[in-house]
Amino acid sequence: MELKKEQYEQIAECFPKQRKPAKISNLDVLNAALYVMENGCKWRSLPKEYGDWHVIYVRINRWAKKGVLEKAFLRLQQLGIIKIQVNVVSLDSTCIKVHPDGMGALKKNGAQAVGRTRGGWNTKLHMVAASDRDGVIFSLSAGNRGDGPEGRTLLQQLGPADHPVYLLMDRAYEGDETRALAVELGYIPVVPPKSNRKDPWDYDKELYKQRNQVERLFRRIKRFRRIFTRYDKLDVIFLAFVFFALIVDVLM
């Protein structure tokens, strides 16, 4: 799996310009990162044909911390390649196992989105998706954090809807506070009530079937082993890989 030149050109302006002929082009660096993301290997295990692994690692690390891959993701949204102007979106989360290599970030980097659950150390990826190919916005939290509070934070980051949009959510988000926030922001919540609700409400069961689109999107990006398992100590690096996975999925 490799990005072609014509695919890269759609996001090329988001990457720093190389001032002189470099031994490793930006496209070559992205394809090396794609190999690492797809196979889940260590950087030093990169095949030699990709070039010096340390040069590639340093450049990806720099891009991650400067938000370059996030900029490329937003560029694809602006171009309409990632379609976000829709009438229905889905909100959900997925758990990602943290590899021992992803533990032990230095304290100077602050708390990272890693938490202990009954299944071990996990990171949660929360996402609003417009389809099974189009992510709108996402965030990370520790694996032991509740979906409701993190979902509300994500909706606040997403901001008000500029037209009526149905928001499909599972029962983890059926709390009064989450539904009230959705309505306040201009969304129409479609969420089934829990069985112990004293005053349950009706919801559109046919429309609710589309909620599996966000689950299918999780499945698509989790085919990359670097997303299926978290190997990165820092959130900013892991987030960059999630951005990159969404970019690759829509371009290819």
Side-chain angles (χ1 to χ4, degrees), residues 21-202:
K23 291 182 180 179
I24 307 176
S25 69
N26 286 341
L27 177 56
D28 291 335
V29 170
L30 287 175
N31 279 323
L34 179 53
Y35 181 92
V36 169
M37 183 170 71
E38 185 179 16
N39 295 283
C41 68
K42 295 180 183 250
W43 288 101
R44 63 179 67 248
S45 299
L46 266 173
K48 292 183 178 179
E49 56 262 31
Y50 286 107
D52 186 336
W53 70 267
H54 190 262
V55 172
I56 294 166
Y57 165 76
V58 168
R59 202 179 302 181
I60 287 291
N61 192 286
R62 186 185 305 126
W63 288 351
K65 292 178 178 177
K66 289 186 176 181
V68 173
L69 290 162
E70 180 180 5
K71 185 178 177 182
F73 175 76
L74 296 175
R75 174 63 177 163
L76 292 177
Q77 288 186 341
Q78 292 170 357
L79 293 173
I81 297 171
I82 295 178
K83 299 175 178 62
I84 59 173
Q85 294 299 321
V86 295
N87 297 320
V88 180
V89 295
S90 304
L91 168 63
D92 204 357
S93 71
T94 186
C95 286
I96 297 166
K97 288 282 189 182
V98 179
H99 190 272
D101 288 348
M103 301 294 293
L106 296 176
K107 290 184 178 179
K108 68 178 182 180
N109 294 309
Q112 303 300 305
V114 176
R116 189 166 193 169
T117 67
R118 285 181 290 180
W121 293 99
N122 282 276
T123 288
K124 271 188 181 179
L125 173 61
H126 306 264
M127 185 178 294
V128 175
S131 75
D132 62 350
R133 299 292 298 270
D134 304 299
V136 179
I137 189 172
F138 60 88
S139 65
L140 300 179
S141 78
N144 54 357
R145 295 295 299 273
D147 284 349
E150 296 298 328
R152 291 193 292 274
T153 300
L154 194 60
L155 289 176
Q156 289 169 338
Q157 292 175 5
L158 181 59
D162 56 7
H163 65 282
V165 178
Y166 289 97
L167 177 62
L168 313 184
M169 306 176 287
D170 65 18
R171 289 183 175 87
Y173 305 94
E174 66 90 66
D176 296 339
E177 192 175 347
T178 302
R179 289 184 294 111
L181 176 62
V183 172
E184 180 184 332
L185 293 173
Y187 298 95
I188 305 168
V190 179
V191 53
K194 289 184 178 179
S195 58
N196 60 355
R197 275 276 179 182
K198 293 182 178 179
D199 298 308
W201 54 84
D202 293 326

Side-chain angles (χ1 to χ4, degrees), residues 183-234:
V183 172
E184 180 184 332
L185 293 173
Y187 298 95
I188 305 168
V190 179
V191 53
K194 289 184 178 179
S195 58
N196 60 355
R197 275 276 179 182
K198 293 182 178 179
D199 298 308
W201 54 84
D202 293 326
Y203 67 100
D204 191 329
K205 293 181 174 63
E206 284 301 312
L207 182 60
Y208 184 72
K209 290 178 181 178
Q210 296 184 34
R211 193 192 65 81
N212 70 0
Q213 290 186 351
V214 65
E215 295 175 345
R216 299 206 305 268
L217 180 55
F218 285 143
R219 171 63 185 86
R220 293 186 67 85
I221 63 174
K222 277 188 167 184
R223 75 185 191 273
F224 299 111
R225 294 190 67 183
R226 198 97 183 185
I227 305 298
F228 185 80
T229 303
R230 174 173 174 165
Y231 295 94
D232 301 290
K233 289 180 172 62
L234 299 182

